[in-house]
Amino acid sequence: MISLMVTASMLLVLLGRGSPQIAGAAAGPTCPSPAPSCASGGNLPDFEEGTYGCTLITTNSAGGIQVQLLTITSDGEGDISGTAAVNNNNASGTTFSGFTALTTGATYCLNPNDSGYIFLAGGACPLALVIDQYAEEVRLIDTTENQAGAMTCRAQNEDG
């Protein structure tokens, strides 16, 4: 069983935490058009209520790289929140930011086959997702043009 979520210049910028920009990144995201959506009949509780530990790696066509560790919390009803720590390969300035709350929430939709999308507030592009019930994971990719980002989130449980 699993719970779900997501994050950063995928989720940080995406979930609105701020903007440690990835080196060489363009000013604003270019998102898919039309925006992706889910078919009716998806079961929101399949993205189980709970906390997930996530690793996110994002790169862009200019060679910028960003790595994040996140904790994401799903309410099992379509909403997500969390915290993130970020580091990047910028040539100057601060490259590391410690764990900070994601200040803007996100919502999600699911298709009947447990694929779907996370929609981030603040104009960020959606994240495509698939729920892996067997491995108790959620896997995500960024839909932003000229930026590749992949995140894996594993359900946390009280048993370790």
Side-chain angles (χ1 to χ4, degrees):
M1 305 280 264
I2 82 172
S3 306
L4 187 52
M5 265 26 268
V6 189
T7 173
S9 184
M10 219 159 104
L11 265 196
L12 287 179
V13 173
L14 305 167
L15 272 185
R17 169 166 165 303
S19 62
Q21 287 290 84
I22 300 174
T30 301
C31 301
S33 181
S37 61
C38 294
S40 61
N43 187 24
L44 293 178
D46 284 356
F47 188 152
E48 291 185 13
E49 178 180 356
T51 300
Y52 297 79
C54 307
T55 303
L56 170 66
I57 300 172
T58 304
T59 185
N60 64 33
S61 58
I65 299 170
Q66 185 175 77
V67 179
Q68 297 182 47
L69 291 177
L70 302 108
T71 60
I72 303 295
T73 301
S74 170
D75 67 359
E77 298 177 6
D79 297 305
I80 300 167
S81 61
T83 63
V86 181
N87 206 351
N88 63 53
N89 70 335
N90 289 350
S92 63
T94 301
T95 63
F96 176 77
S97 299
F99 282 97
T100 304
L102 302 170
T103 57
T104 305
T107 60
Y108 66 90
C109 67
L110 291 176
N111 293 304
N113 66 356
D114 284 345
S115 65
Y117 296 94
I118 294 174
F119 300 97
L120 307 162
C125 298
L127 304 170
L129 71 86
V130 64
I131 296 174
D132 181 342
Q133 296 287 352
Y134 179 77
E136 297 183 332
E137 292 180 340
V138 176
R139 297 185 189 117
L140 305 107
I141 61 168
D142 192 353
T143 64
T144 306
E145 295 290 327
N146 300 312
Q147 179 169 302
M151 181 167 39
T152 300
C153 300
R154 182 152 175 96
Q156 305 299 297
N157 60 48
E158 296 172 7
D159 299 328

